[in-house]
Structure formats: structure tokens, C-alpha cells
Amino acid sequence: MSNYLKKLIVKPDSKIRLKHFDPDYHSKHESHKSALPEIQENLQRMEQLQYLMYAENKHSLLIVLQGLDAGGKDGVVRHVLTGMNPSGCISVNFKQPTAKEMAHDFLWRVHPHVPAKGSVAIFNRSHYEDVLVARVHDLVPEKVWSKRYDQINDFERLISTENNTAILKFFLHISEDEQLARFKKRLDDPARQWKISESDYKERDYWKDYTEAFEDVLNKTSTERAPWFIIPANHKWFRDLAISQIITRTMEEMNMQLPKPTVNLADIRRKYHQAVAEEKSGQSKKH
């Protein structure tokens, strides 16, 4: 079995170029049918591990999803993270900042959504938009966005060390042809047409600029505490397989344990048997 945790990670201080990564890669599997048993096994294990995380209440997990339009961020939330119990998991979609948010530093709107101990948070787009969209569209000067890489690293170090938060960041890597094919599916499918935006095609004109911006993000902000993974995402099923495996193995490495009971179990058992006996006695009197 391939170890995607090691194979797809961006090592700290890398100098990667995305043209060297094949978005069509799918490892040993040739189809969704072939990969499905492994995906399902990962999802079942993920559910067990999340239960341990919630019960132990010592760790938390932040999952960051980034990619170009139609890269599959919503699909990851929908398909992979069905292995999470909603009571201990939130998904946050960071859209264009509001006027109030823009009156603060760029991380102000992010911090309230980081996961508390015992829980999981998924950022569907994230604080990285402020070194991606803000850079590509000149929303702030270079002297501003260029400082944000270090600020992001400091922020992620803070939540990792102060709140025992594991951070996994996934770049969903698709080709230009695959993006266009997915745009066509949106046009042809009434159930997906609501996703269509005028900006979809305008943003394609900035493909090279976004590629360079993503490369800088991957090279400058993949750290031991908060690594990036380049996920080949032309095949949605491989995307789901790789991400579910990486999440599962990361959670296994936390070595989480169920907490010991905080009550005297022998005393509780006596109370239980007493309650059962009283219930039976009451039913007998009724008859």
C-alpha cells in the first residue's frame, strides 16, 4: 500500500515547481471501483479516531483545502469527510472579506474558527487567499502580502503549540484541461449550474499567476508542524483516497486513548441493578 503521507508531502524549505507534479497521477489503482474498498476502510477508521479525539479532548485537527476553481474542495468536504461526526466537526468557507473584516488584520477573521480541543475544523479556502487572490489581483502591495508568509507560519505555530492542533494542508492539483471539462459538466447539469460564476473564466486568464503564487505558498509555508500536500486531483476518487489516508494516518500518530471513567463503576452498577429491580417490582404491582 502506498504511503501518501510521505509521497505527497512538501518538505520544509522545498523549491518545488508544479509542472513537475502530474495531476493525473493515480498510483496503483486504475479506477474508483479498485480504490473504493481502501477509501471506505479509511473513512471507517477516521470515524473511530474522531470519536477518540472527542472523548480524550486533548488534540484537535485543522484541515485546509486550497486549489483553483473546480479543483474539488467541496467534493472533499462532501465525500471524504463523511467519515467525520458532525457534532465534532465544522466546515468553514472563507469568502471575500467583509468591510468589518478588512478593517482588521487578515488573520482576525480566521482565528475564531480554529478547532477547539477534541474537534476538527475544515477550511474550504482559508487565510491563504490573502497570499493568493490578494497577490494575483494586486489587492494589496507586494510589501504587504510578501510579509504574510511569515505571519501565517507564526499563526500556525501558535495554534499547533498552544492548542495541540495538528494541521494538514491540501493543495488540489488539477490541469487546465480538467478544469475546463468540469466547467462543461456544470453547464450540462442543472443540479450544478448554481456553481457557475462569471469569474470562472476570467480567473483562467491568471492560471500562470496563480501557479506561481501557489508555488510560493507551498515552498514558504510547508513546515513540520503544518505541512502541505500536493494532491493529484484530476481523478476525484484518487483525491479522496489520498486525503482520507493522510488524515487517518495523522490521527493514528496522535496515539489517542479513551479517558478513564470519572465515576466509581462498581457503585454505578449497584445503582443500575437497584433501578432495574425497582422497575420490575413496580410492574409486578401493576399486574
Side-chain angles (χ1 to χ4, degrees):
M1 181 184 296
S2 297
N3 185 341
Y4 303 122
L5 187 63
K6 292 183 178 180
K7 185 174 181 62
L8 302 178
I9 195 169
V10 177
K11 295 180 180 179
D13 301 315
S14 293
K15 301 296 179 184
I16 64 98
R17 298 290 301 279
L18 286 172
K19 67 180 182 180
H20 297 145
F21 295 82
D22 181 8
D24 209 40
Y25 174 80
H26 49 76
S27 189
K28 66 178 182 178
H29 294 288
E30 295 296 331
S31 67
H32 180 225
K33 182 178 180 180
S34 170
L36 186 58
E38 197 174 332
I39 295 172
Q40 291 176 331
E41 182 180 347
N42 290 339
L43 296 184
Q44 290 172 0
R45 182 64 178 140
M46 199 186 303
E47 182 179 19
Q48 296 167 353
L49 290 163
Q50 189 202 5
Y51 179 79
L52 277 177
M53 178 180 285
Y54 182 80
E56 188 187 51
N57 201 36
K58 292 181 179 179
H59 298 81
S60 57
L61 175 63
L62 172 60
I63 298 167
V64 174
L65 302 175
Q66 288 286 164
L68 291 163
D69 291 333
K73 297 177 291 295
D74 290 342
V76 172
V77 175
R78 186 168 61 253
H79 294 296
V80 176
L81 301 173
T82 53
M84 298 282 183
N85 185 326
S87 64
C89 180
I90 62 167
S91 177
V92 184
N93 190 343
F94 289 95
K95 298 183 182 294
Q96 185 173 342
T98 64
K100 182 178 180 180
E101 290 169 343
M102 291 182 69
H104 294 267
D105 67 90
F106 77 102
L107 291 168
W108 180 81
R109 67 175 183 154
V110 179
H111 209 154
H113 301 288
V114 300
K117 287 185 175 69
S119 63
V120 178
I122 305 124
F123 287 0
N124 184 347
R125 299 188 187 271
S126 66
H127 42 300
Y128 284 96
E129 294 294 290
D130 290 287
V131 287
L132 292 166
V133 176
R135 166 179 169 169
V136 170
H137 290 288
D138 296 318
L139 302 182
V140 294
E142 181 176 354
K143 66 180 182 181
V144 173
W145 60 253
S146 62
K147 295 177 182 178
R148 289 177 174 175
Y149 302 110
D150 288 339
Q151 292 165 349
I152 287 172
N153 288 336
D154 290 342
F155 170 70
E156 292 176 348
R157 186 183 304 113
L158 171 69
I159 62 176
S160 173
T161 56
E162 291 296 314
N163 204 45
N164 211 12
T165 300
I167 304 171
L168 297 174
K169 301 178 296 194
F170 299 107
F171 169 65
L172 307 183
H173 185 31
I174 62 170
S175 65
E176 286 186 84
D177 288 344
E178 177 63 21
Q179 186 193 59
L180 202 57
R182 293 182 184 183
F183 284 171
K184 183 179 185 304
K185 287 182 179 179
R186 289 180 180 180
L187 279 171
D188 295 341
D189 184 356
R192 299 184 186 184
Q193 288 173 356
W194 65 272
K195 289 188 172 186
I196 297 173
S197 167
E198 289 284 349
S199 67
D200 291 344
Y201 298 90
K202 291 179 182 177
E203 291 292 89
R204 277 178 64 83
D205 293 337
Y206 298 94
W207 189 279
K208 181 177 180 293
D209 297 322
Y210 272 114
T211 297
E212 292 174 355
F214 271 115
E215 287 172 346
D216 276 351
V217 163
L218 296 168
N219 290 328
K220 294 181 179 183
T221 64
S222 192
T223 64
E224 289 187 9
R225 293 185 180 276
W228 276 102
F229 298 86
I230 299 175
I231 306 297
N234 275 5
H235 297 283
K236 296 177 181 180
W237 53 265
F238 178 76
R239 171 203 72 197
D240 295 348
L241 171 62
I243 291 177
S244 63
Q245 187 199 93
I246 291 168
I247 293 172
T248 299
R249 293 194 177 188
T250 298
M251 295 178 78
E252 286 175 338
E253 291 175 359
M254 295 177 185
N255 295 315
M256 296 177 289
Q257 303 291 328
L258 285 172
K260 294 181 180 180
T262 57
V263 297
N264 185 318
L265 290 181
D267 184 46
I268 295 298
R269 284 195 179 95
R270 284 193 296 270
K271 291 179 179 179
Y272 165 75
H273 289 300
Q274 181 181 352
V276 171
E278 291 174 352
E279 180 69 18
K280 289 182 178 179
S281 175
Q283 290 179 352
S284 297
K285 290 179 180 179
K286 289 180 182 179
H287 293 298

